[in-house]
Amino acid sequence: MNMDLGSTLIGALIIVICTIPFIIMGKSRNKKAKQLLNSLHNNASQHNCQITQHEVFGDFAIGMDKEHNALFFARRLKDSEEKQFVDLSKIKNCEIINSGRTIRTKNGNKNGTHTIIDRLELGFTPIVKNEPEIKWEFFNADINYQPNGELIAMRQWSKNINEQLMHS
């Protein structure tokens, strides 16, 4: 009976030790998400706006003030934080810019191709033709190993932004 109690305690201790890193990582992720969201809200308040719709995703946060037709972006880089603002009343459309390359692959007797994503950006085309396109980078292969859902989030936001542009 003493042996069973010792084994149970050792098993419980191993479980606790194994779960601690996951708890720490979760808290770190939540802290980063809160910082990005705060950055988004601070940027909005500097433009006399309020975030009415937002998403925090990995190293970036995006938010919109529908009433003031404004869009905000915050992204955490290694040593800094990037903040962006777009006045949607000056934008004609929004599109996803997927920069990449196609490589040939050989798997046994089969030849094929594989697309590698190098960069994912949201591009904003201004109404005024001589103004440059605005680009917000969501993924860069030089910084991150591979995309982790950024394209899905970008598709949804591109759709939301273009719907906002149609109604404004």
PDB file of all heavy atoms in Angstrom, residues 29 55-60 117 120 138-141 144-154:
ATOM      1  N   ARG A  29       1.087  34.095 -23.827  1.00  0.00           N
ATOM      2  CA  ARG A  29       0.278  34.394 -25.018  1.00  0.00           C
ATOM      3  C   ARG A  29      -0.831  35.381 -24.688  1.00  0.00           C
ATOM      4  O   ARG A  29      -1.095  36.329 -25.439  1.00  0.00           O
ATOM      5  CB  ARG A  29      -0.317  33.103 -25.567  1.00  0.00           C
ATOM      6  CG  ARG A  29      -0.119  32.907 -27.022  1.00  0.00           C
ATOM      7  CD  ARG A  29      -0.733  31.619 -27.470  1.00  0.00           C
ATOM      8  NE  ARG A  29      -0.632  30.636 -26.399  1.00  0.00           N
ATOM      9  CZ  ARG A  29      -0.431  29.355 -26.546  1.00  0.00           C
ATOM     10  NH1 ARG A  29      -0.339  28.859 -27.714  1.00  0.00           N
ATOM     11  NH2 ARG A  29      -0.349  28.527 -25.535  1.00  0.00           N
ATOM     12  N   GLU A  55      -9.669  41.629 -33.868  1.00  0.00           N
ATOM     13  CA  GLU A  55      -9.167  40.264 -33.768  1.00  0.00           C
ATOM     14  C   GLU A  55      -7.691  40.342 -33.400  1.00  0.00           C
ATOM     15  O   GLU A  55      -6.938  41.125 -33.969  1.00  0.00           O
ATOM     16  CB  GLU A  55      -9.328  39.524 -35.096  1.00  0.00           C
ATOM     17  CG  GLU A  55      -8.819  38.102 -35.040  1.00  0.00           C
ATOM     18  CD  GLU A  55      -9.091  37.315 -36.317  1.00  0.00           C
ATOM     19  OE1 GLU A  55      -9.532  37.893 -37.319  1.00  0.00           O
ATOM     20  OE2 GLU A  55      -8.855  36.099 -36.289  1.00  0.00           O
ATOM     21  N   VAL A  56      -7.315  39.537 -32.449  1.00  0.00           N
ATOM     22  CA  VAL A  56      -5.905  39.388 -32.084  1.00  0.00           C
ATOM     23  C   VAL A  56      -5.500  38.003 -32.537  1.00  0.00           C
ATOM     24  O   VAL A  56      -6.165  37.021 -32.236  1.00  0.00           O
ATOM     25  CB  VAL A  56      -5.689  39.551 -30.561  1.00  0.00           C
ATOM     26  CG1 VAL A  56      -4.222  39.359 -30.216  1.00  0.00           C
ATOM     27  CG2 VAL A  56      -6.181  40.905 -30.090  1.00  0.00           C
ATOM     28  N   PHE A  57      -4.424  37.954 -33.294  1.00  0.00           N
ATOM     29  CA  PHE A  57      -4.029  36.690 -33.902  1.00  0.00           C
ATOM     30  C   PHE A  57      -2.511  36.592 -33.895  1.00  0.00           C
ATOM     31  O   PHE A  57      -1.844  37.285 -34.656  1.00  0.00           O
ATOM     32  CB  PHE A  57      -4.562  36.635 -35.342  1.00  0.00           C
ATOM     33  CG  PHE A  57      -4.521  35.274 -35.934  1.00  0.00           C
ATOM     34  CD1 PHE A  57      -5.593  34.428 -35.803  1.00  0.00           C
ATOM     35  CD2 PHE A  57      -3.398  34.837 -36.612  1.00  0.00           C
ATOM     36  CE1 PHE A  57      -5.559  33.164 -36.349  1.00  0.00           C
ATOM     37  CE2 PHE A  57      -3.357  33.577 -37.163  1.00  0.00           C
ATOM     38  CZ  PHE A  57      -4.446  32.728 -37.040  1.00  0.00           C
ATOM     39  N   GLY A  58      -1.980  35.771 -33.025  1.00  0.00           N
ATOM     40  CA  GLY A  58      -0.524  35.590 -32.984  1.00  0.00           C
ATOM     41  C   GLY A  58       0.200  36.877 -32.654  1.00  0.00           C
ATOM     42  O   GLY A  58       0.042  37.427 -31.573  1.00  0.00           O
ATOM     43  N   ASP A  59       0.953  37.371 -33.623  1.00  0.00           N
ATOM     44  CA  ASP A  59       1.767  38.572 -33.419  1.00  0.00           C
ATOM     45  C   ASP A  59       1.112  39.838 -33.943  1.00  0.00           C
ATOM     46  O   ASP A  59       1.766  40.882 -34.027  1.00  0.00           O
ATOM     47  CB  ASP A  59       3.126  38.393 -34.104  1.00  0.00           C
ATOM     48  CG  ASP A  59       3.964  37.336 -33.430  1.00  0.00           C
ATOM     49  OD1 ASP A  59       3.744  37.081 -32.236  1.00  0.00           O
ATOM     50  OD2 ASP A  59       4.854  36.763 -34.093  1.00  0.00           O
ATOM     51  N   PHE A  60      -0.156  39.781 -34.331  1.00  0.00           N
ATOM     52  CA  PHE A  60      -0.804  40.997 -34.821  1.00  0.00           C
ATOM     53  C   PHE A  60      -2.222  41.128 -34.294  1.00  0.00           C
ATOM     54  O   PHE A  60      -2.843  40.168 -33.852  1.00  0.00           O
ATOM     55  CB  PHE A  60      -0.797  41.062 -36.356  1.00  0.00           C
ATOM     56  CG  PHE A  60      -1.688  40.046 -37.024  1.00  0.00           C
ATOM     57  CD1 PHE A  60      -3.040  40.297 -37.205  1.00  0.00           C
ATOM     58  CD2 PHE A  60      -1.179  38.857 -37.490  1.00  0.00           C
ATOM     59  CE1 PHE A  60      -3.862  39.374 -37.822  1.00  0.00           C
ATOM     60  CE2 PHE A  60      -1.983  37.919 -38.116  1.00  0.00           C
ATOM     61  CZ  PHE A  60      -3.332  38.186 -38.276  1.00  0.00           C
ATOM     62  N   ILE A 117       4.685  30.270 -49.603  1.00  0.00           N
ATOM     63  CA  ILE A 117       4.296  31.645 -49.307  1.00  0.00           C
ATOM     64  C   ILE A 117       5.481  32.353 -48.657  1.00  0.00           C
ATOM     65  O   ILE A 117       6.003  31.899 -47.645  1.00  0.00           O
ATOM     66  CB  ILE A 117       3.065  31.689 -48.377  1.00  0.00           C
ATOM     67  CG1 ILE A 117       1.859  31.054 -49.057  1.00  0.00           C
ATOM     68  CG2 ILE A 117       2.764  33.118 -47.952  1.00  0.00           C
ATOM     69  CD1 ILE A 117       0.650  30.896 -48.161  1.00  0.00           C
ATOM     70  N   LEU A 120       2.572  37.628 -46.798  1.00  0.00           N
ATOM     71  CA  LEU A 120       1.133  37.884 -46.904  1.00  0.00           C
ATOM     72  C   LEU A 120       0.883  39.305 -46.421  1.00  0.00           C
ATOM     73  O   LEU A 120       1.304  39.673 -45.317  1.00  0.00           O
ATOM     74  CB  LEU A 120       0.335  36.907 -46.035  1.00  0.00           C
ATOM     75  CG  LEU A 120       0.323  35.453 -46.472  1.00  0.00           C
ATOM     76  CD1 LEU A 120      -0.325  34.583 -45.397  1.00  0.00           C
ATOM     77  CD2 LEU A 120      -0.414  35.298 -47.786  1.00  0.00           C
ATOM     78  N   PHE A 138       1.244  40.769 -42.739  1.00  0.00           N
ATOM     79  CA  PHE A 138       0.730  39.836 -41.743  1.00  0.00           C
ATOM     80  C   PHE A 138       1.660  38.641 -41.563  1.00  0.00           C
ATOM     81  O   PHE A 138       1.683  38.024 -40.513  1.00  0.00           O
ATOM     82  CB  PHE A 138      -0.658  39.321 -42.148  1.00  0.00           C
ATOM     83  CG  PHE A 138      -1.758  40.301 -41.890  1.00  0.00           C
ATOM     84  CD1 PHE A 138      -1.848  41.489 -42.586  1.00  0.00           C
ATOM     85  CD2 PHE A 138      -2.721  40.026 -40.936  1.00  0.00           C
ATOM     86  CE1 PHE A 138      -2.868  42.386 -42.343  1.00  0.00           C
ATOM     87  CE2 PHE A 138      -3.744  40.918 -40.689  1.00  0.00           C
ATOM     88  CZ  PHE A 138      -3.814  42.105 -41.390  1.00  0.00           C
ATOM     89  N   PHE A 139       2.393  38.289 -42.613  1.00  0.00           N
ATOM     90  CA  PHE A 139       3.304  37.158 -42.537  1.00  0.00           C
ATOM     91  C   PHE A 139       4.508  37.432 -43.412  1.00  0.00           C
ATOM     92  O   PHE A 139       4.382  37.949 -44.523  1.00  0.00           O
ATOM     93  CB  PHE A 139       2.624  35.861 -43.006  1.00  0.00           C
ATOM     94  CG  PHE A 139       3.585  34.723 -43.176  1.00  0.00           C
ATOM     95  CD1 PHE A 139       4.033  34.012 -42.065  1.00  0.00           C
ATOM     96  CD2 PHE A 139       4.070  34.387 -44.422  1.00  0.00           C
ATOM     97  CE1 PHE A 139       4.945  32.980 -42.212  1.00  0.00           C
ATOM     98  CE2 PHE A 139       4.978  33.349 -44.577  1.00  0.00           C
ATOM     99  CZ  PHE A 139       5.411  32.645 -43.472  1.00  0.00           C
ATOM    100  N   ASN A 140       5.687  37.053 -42.901  1.00  0.00           N
ATOM    101  CA  ASN A 140       6.919  37.173 -43.654  1.00  0.00           C
ATOM    102  C   ASN A 140       7.758  35.934 -43.347  1.00  0.00           C
ATOM    103  O   ASN A 140       8.080  35.672 -42.186  1.00  0.00           O
ATOM    104  CB  ASN A 140       7.661  38.448 -43.263  1.00  0.00           C
ATOM    105  CG  ASN A 140       8.894  38.688 -44.096  1.00  0.00           C
ATOM    106  OD1 ASN A 140       9.560  37.768 -44.547  1.00  0.00           O
ATOM    107  ND2 ASN A 140       9.212  39.945 -44.302  1.00  0.00           N
ATOM    108  N   ALA A 141       8.110  35.182 -44.378  1.00  0.00           N
ATOM    109  CA  ALA A 141       8.848  33.934 -44.187  1.00  0.00           C
ATOM    110  C   ALA A 141      10.238  34.172 -43.596  1.00  0.00           C
ATOM    111  O   ALA A 141      10.825  33.252 -43.031  1.00  0.00           O
ATOM    112  CB  ALA A 141       8.968  33.186 -45.511  1.00  0.00           C
ATOM    113  N   ASN A 144       8.867  34.415 -39.699  1.00  0.00           N
ATOM    114  CA  ASN A 144       8.157  33.230 -39.210  1.00  0.00           C
ATOM    115  C   ASN A 144       8.473  32.052 -40.121  1.00  0.00           C
ATOM    116  O   ASN A 144       8.659  32.218 -41.323  1.00  0.00           O
ATOM    117  CB  ASN A 144       6.648  33.458 -39.201  1.00  0.00           C
ATOM    118  CG  ASN A 144       6.255  34.621 -38.344  1.00  0.00           C
ATOM    119  OD1 ASN A 144       6.892  35.659 -38.347  1.00  0.00           O
ATOM    120  ND2 ASN A 144       5.197  34.465 -37.605  1.00  0.00           N
ATOM    121  N   TYR A 145       8.450  30.875 -39.545  1.00  0.00           N
ATOM    122  CA  TYR A 145       8.778  29.678 -40.324  1.00  0.00           C
ATOM    123  C   TYR A 145       7.730  29.382 -41.391  1.00  0.00           C
ATOM    124  O   TYR A 145       8.055  29.142 -42.539  1.00  0.00           O
ATOM    125  CB  TYR A 145       8.947  28.481 -39.377  1.00  0.00           C
ATOM    126  CG  TYR A 145       9.225  27.193 -40.088  1.00  0.00           C
ATOM    127  CD1 TYR A 145      10.412  27.007 -40.789  1.00  0.00           C
ATOM    128  CD2 TYR A 145       8.299  26.160 -40.074  1.00  0.00           C
ATOM    129  CE1 TYR A 145      10.669  25.822 -41.457  1.00  0.00           C
ATOM    130  CE2 TYR A 145       8.553  24.971 -40.730  1.00  0.00           C
ATOM    131  CZ  TYR A 145       9.745  24.806 -41.424  1.00  0.00           C
ATOM    132  OH  TYR A 145       9.983  23.645 -42.080  1.00  0.00           O
ATOM    133  N   GLN A 146       6.451  29.405 -40.989  1.00  0.00           N
ATOM    134  CA  GLN A 146       5.370  29.125 -41.935  1.00  0.00           C
ATOM    135  C   GLN A 146       4.102  29.828 -41.470  1.00  0.00           C
ATOM    136  O   GLN A 146       3.956  30.136 -40.294  1.00  0.00           O
ATOM    137  CB  GLN A 146       5.131  27.632 -42.085  1.00  0.00           C
ATOM    138  CG  GLN A 146       4.603  26.960 -40.830  1.00  0.00           C
ATOM    139  CD  GLN A 146       4.453  25.461 -41.035  1.00  0.00           C
ATOM    140  OE1 GLN A 146       5.140  24.874 -41.855  1.00  0.00           O
ATOM    141  NE2 GLN A 146       3.564  24.851 -40.294  1.00  0.00           N
ATOM    142  N   PRO A 147       3.186  30.099 -42.407  1.00  0.00           N
ATOM    143  CA  PRO A 147       1.921  30.729 -42.016  1.00  0.00           C
ATOM    144  C   PRO A 147       1.155  29.838 -41.045  1.00  0.00           C
ATOM    145  O   PRO A 147       1.212  28.616 -41.126  1.00  0.00           O
ATOM    146  CB  PRO A 147       1.152  30.872 -43.329  1.00  0.00           C
ATOM    147  CG  PRO A 147       2.135  30.655 -44.413  1.00  0.00           C
ATOM    148  CD  PRO A 147       3.247  29.842 -43.838  1.00  0.00           C
ATOM    149  N   ASN A 148       0.443  30.480 -40.132  1.00  0.00           N
ATOM    150  CA  ASN A 148      -0.308  29.737 -39.123  1.00  0.00           C
ATOM    151  C   ASN A 148      -1.718  30.308 -39.011  1.00  0.00           C
ATOM    152  O   ASN A 148      -2.094  30.819 -37.969  1.00  0.00           O
ATOM    153  CB  ASN A 148       0.425  29.797 -37.784  1.00  0.00           C
ATOM    154  CG  ASN A 148      -0.203  28.899 -36.751  1.00  0.00           C
ATOM    155  OD1 ASN A 148      -0.932  27.976 -37.082  1.00  0.00           O
ATOM    156  ND2 ASN A 148       0.067  29.174 -35.494  1.00  0.00           N
ATOM    157  N   GLY A 149      -2.445  30.273 -40.101  1.00  0.00           N
ATOM    158  CA  GLY A 149      -3.818  30.758 -40.084  1.00  0.00           C
ATOM    159  C   GLY A 149      -3.979  32.209 -40.483  1.00  0.00           C
ATOM    160  O   GLY A 149      -5.099  32.713 -40.536  1.00  0.00           O
ATOM    161  N   GLU A 150      -2.870  32.901 -40.775  1.00  0.00           N
ATOM    162  CA  GLU A 150      -2.958  34.313 -41.149  1.00  0.00           C
ATOM    163  C   GLU A 150      -3.812  34.507 -42.401  1.00  0.00           C
ATOM    164  O   GLU A 150      -4.598  35.454 -42.469  1.00  0.00           O
ATOM    165  CB  GLU A 150      -1.559  34.915 -41.402  1.00  0.00           C
ATOM    166  CG  GLU A 150      -0.727  35.098 -40.179  1.00  0.00           C
ATOM    167  CD  GLU A 150       0.136  33.888 -39.833  1.00  0.00           C
ATOM    168  OE1 GLU A 150      -0.088  32.795 -40.412  1.00  0.00           O
ATOM    169  OE2 GLU A 150       1.022  34.033 -38.980  1.00  0.00           O
ATOM    170  N   LEU A 151      -3.671  33.624 -43.374  1.00  0.00           N
ATOM    171  CA  LEU A 151      -4.418  33.767 -44.626  1.00  0.00           C
ATOM    172  C   LEU A 151      -5.924  33.686 -44.391  1.00  0.00           C
ATOM    173  O   LEU A 151      -6.694  34.451 -44.970  1.00  0.00           O
ATOM    174  CB  LEU A 151      -3.961  32.716 -45.641  1.00  0.00           C
ATOM    175  CG  LEU A 151      -4.506  32.858 -47.057  1.00  0.00           C
ATOM    176  CD1 LEU A 151      -4.202  34.226 -47.639  1.00  0.00           C
ATOM    177  CD2 LEU A 151      -3.926  31.764 -47.946  1.00  0.00           C
ATOM    178  N   ILE A 152      -6.348  32.809 -43.509  1.00  0.00           N
ATOM    179  CA  ILE A 152      -7.774  32.683 -43.190  1.00  0.00           C
ATOM    180  C   ILE A 152      -8.281  33.970 -42.541  1.00  0.00           C
ATOM    181  O   ILE A 152      -9.331  34.500 -42.923  1.00  0.00           O
ATOM    182  CB  ILE A 152      -8.021  31.467 -42.272  1.00  0.00           C
ATOM    183  CG1 ILE A 152      -7.692  30.173 -43.018  1.00  0.00           C
ATOM    184  CG2 ILE A 152      -9.455  31.437 -41.758  1.00  0.00           C
ATOM    185  CD1 ILE A 152      -7.586  28.952 -42.130  1.00  0.00           C
ATOM    186  N   ALA A 153      -7.527  34.480 -41.576  1.00  0.00           N
ATOM    187  CA  ALA A 153      -7.912  35.736 -40.912  1.00  0.00           C
ATOM    188  C   ALA A 153      -7.931  36.886 -41.916  1.00  0.00           C
ATOM    189  O   ALA A 153      -8.838  37.720 -41.906  1.00  0.00           O
ATOM    190  CB  ALA A 153      -6.950  36.042 -39.763  1.00  0.00           C
ATOM    191  N   MET A 154      -6.951  36.923 -42.799  1.00  0.00           N
ATOM    192  CA  MET A 154      -6.878  38.002 -43.791  1.00  0.00           C
ATOM    193  C   MET A 154      -8.058  37.952 -44.759  1.00  0.00           C
ATOM    194  O   MET A 154      -8.574  38.995 -45.159  1.00  0.00           O
ATOM    195  CB  MET A 154      -5.563  37.913 -44.552  1.00  0.00           C
ATOM    196  CG  MET A 154      -4.355  38.260 -43.700  1.00  0.00           C
ATOM    197  SD  MET A 154      -2.813  37.979 -44.572  1.00  0.00           S
ATOM    198  CE  MET A 154      -2.912  39.237 -45.833  1.00  0.00           C
TER     199      MET A 154
END
